[in-house]
Amino acid sequence: MMSLVEEEESVRESQENAFVCRLAKLLMMSVNKRINVLKINELKRNLGFPDDYIVRIVAKYPNLFRVVNEGGRKSSMEIELVHWDPQFAVSTVETAARRSGNIRPTFSCSLPFSWVKSWERFREFDLVPYFSPYVDPRELVEGSKEMEKRNVGLVHEVLSLTLWKKSSIVKLGHFRREFALPDRLNVLLLKHPGIFYVSNKYQIYTVLLREAYVGSKLVEKDPLVVVKEKFGELMQEGLHEYNQRRRHINMEKRRKKGVPLARVDEVKCRRRRSENADSDDDEDGDNKLGGLFDPEERKRFYKVLFDDDTS
């Protein structure tokens, strides 16, 4: 564990330039080129920022950032962009277009070709010119196709900056004012299933970049992601060892009490069958976690998203 902690700190130190780039891009996409610190803190884990990023990044690069606190309260502290670097004002979509030799930046659609209607909507959406998320959106008409293209591009860019290319929809919604996003952000995301995948695993609605995944596997892993996966593997290994030790201890206690092990196994089997039966009953109730592939759950989810009377 100590070795992994040291490895993680080493990776963070080597990625300082990447953190500077991510923070600068985040501020450059905002309308006023400044964002509240509390809001940035909500995404700092997703972006890989260290806990002391204000000292390690903001204070270290006064030519790019500065801390502003006009209200004088801790909750009103903001980070403001001081210098506009045109090298940072290039989106992931534009970079991919340059690498492939395409003149016109376009989104990729990661849907099966059997989804005919979704592909038709994507091709229609693709005809609208690409609008960079680093360009001031106030010249666009609210509700227009151009504004929708810009909003999709901005969410795409924000997700591209995160370690796992995904984020909670609720957290993204907290940046509506800073990024000039629509109030019903979830509706925008669901309109573009070829670009975004909306998951409600554990009843936490999350949006992922489809192009960043093959199945459930992240295509390109940030060095920090690799280290964090090592942490997860170590924790799983420790949990397995702990369970094995507890099992041997319990078996030894039962042996000393004279309880036949065959009888213990029979009790366990009965308990598992009972739990499985309870689980099957729950699937018809309100406790089911389900997913968007489940018809009933999908109907409920869409009703919440599209019902104007729902708060």
Side-chain angles (χ1 to χ4, degrees), residues 16-17 20-21 23-24 27-28 33 54-67 79-88:
E16 184 174 295
N17 291 336
V20 172
C21 177
L23 181 57
L27 295 172
M28 291 167 73
K33 309 302 177 280
I54 294 181
V55 176
R56 187 181 296 194
I57 301 175
V58 178
K60 191 175 179 180
Y61 295 88
N63 59 315
L64 282 175
F65 316 112
R66 71 173 176 177
V67 176
I79 298 177
E80 184 179 49
L81 185 74
V82 176
H83 171 70
W84 180 278
D85 191 335
Q87 292 183 347
F88 293 151

Side-chain angles (χ1 to χ4, degrees), residues 202-220:
Y202 308 124
Q203 293 185 332
I204 299 175
Y205 295 107
T206 305
V207 57
L208 301 84
L209 274 184
R210 279 192 180 271
E211 65 190 49
Y213 285 82
V214 174
S216 60
K217 300 295 183 180
L218 189 61
V219 177
E220 296 183 7

